[in-house]
Amino acid sequence: MTATRYDRRMYAVMNDRRAAAVYATVPRRRLLVGAHFALTVTGVGAWIATVFAPGYAPVVVVAVVLLPWILLTGMLNGSTRGLLELRGRMLDERQLIERDRVRALAHRITLWLLVATALGTGAYGALTDASLRAAVTPLLVGVLAAHWMMPLWVAGLRVQDDLVDDADAS
């Protein structure tokens, strides 16, 4: 199948190297993933608080966190050159294999997160003799967010540094 105008535009956006210095090295990408993780936890926690807690402070936190979260998401997508965002027809064979590996690893991590959440929730209910109704919904939202973001975090941590030509290094 041939690439559409949308495919070509997304490929150009995902492969724009103007911000490459921000994610050029492994430590920088780890920092980006860590910051994205922290913003995701903060944003999801605040969103859960908007549903289950009174007041408007959580709404403000969600609003404040949203823009930097979007920017970091774009930087992580750029660092992987659109590995998870581009359609398969825009990726080469090596990228398709890497995308499958990233998704498989993210799936395994999320599986164990779900197991830990289920065990933790069950233990909490057994030890405290408390109703789990109030705890289950926020936990499910948190695990859903982790499931959604895990492939991006895994891809951001697995991406290799760009090769530097000897001519460029001189």
Side-chain angles (χ1 to χ4, degrees), residues 128-166:
T128 64
D129 203 30
S131 170
L132 295 180
R133 180 173 287 170
V136 169
T137 303
L139 284 173
L140 285 175
V141 170
V143 171
L144 175 64
H147 172 72
W148 178 38
M149 290 288 104
M150 193 64 66
L152 182 60
W153 296 333
V154 169
L157 293 173
R158 285 182 51 101
V159 71
Q160 300 295 315
D161 291 344
D162 288 335
L163 297 175
V164 178
D165 289 337
D166 290 333

Side-chain angles (χ1 to χ4, degrees), residues 6-52:
Y6 171 80
D7 290 333
R8 290 187 299 275
R9 176 69 185 133
M10 288 303 296
Y11 184 85
V13 167
M14 295 295 168
N15 287 279
D16 185 349
R17 306 323 278 166
R18 286 183 285 185
V22 175
Y23 47 77
T25 64
V26 172
R28 290 178 186 175
R29 285 190 299 277
R30 286 182 182 156
L31 183 63
L32 280 176
V33 171
H36 192 269
F37 177 82
L39 287 175
T40 301
V41 169
T42 303
V44 169
W47 183 84
I48 290 169
T50 64
V51 176
F52 292 100

Side-chain angles (χ1 to χ4, degrees), residues 39 41-47 49-50 56-68:
L39 287 175
V41 169
T42 303
V44 169
W47 183 84
T50 64
Y56 292 105
V59 175
V60 172
V61 172
V62 170
V64 167
V65 164
L66 190 59
L67 182 61

Side-chain angles (χ1 to χ4, degrees), residues 39-111:
L39 287 175
T40 301
V41 169
T42 303
V44 169
W47 183 84
I48 290 169
T50 64
V51 176
F52 292 100
Y56 292 105
V59 175
V60 172
V61 172
V62 170
V64 167
V65 164
L66 190 59
L67 182 61
W69 183 86
I70 290 169
L71 291 172
L72 288 178
T73 300
M75 287 182 201
L76 286 173
N77 279 324
S79 75
T80 65
R81 295 186 184 243
L83 185 71
L84 299 167
E85 296 300 320
L86 294 175
R87 296 178 186 172
R89 63 178 161 242
M90 297 304 293
L91 302 174
D92 62 29
E93 186 175 314
R94 179 196 54 80
Q95 290 170 313
L96 290 170
I97 292 169
E98 180 62 16
R99 181 169 67 177
D100 287 345
R101 286 182 182 149
V102 163
R103 286 178 174 167
L105 179 56
H107 177 76
R108 283 194 298 276
I109 293 169
T110 304
L111 169 67

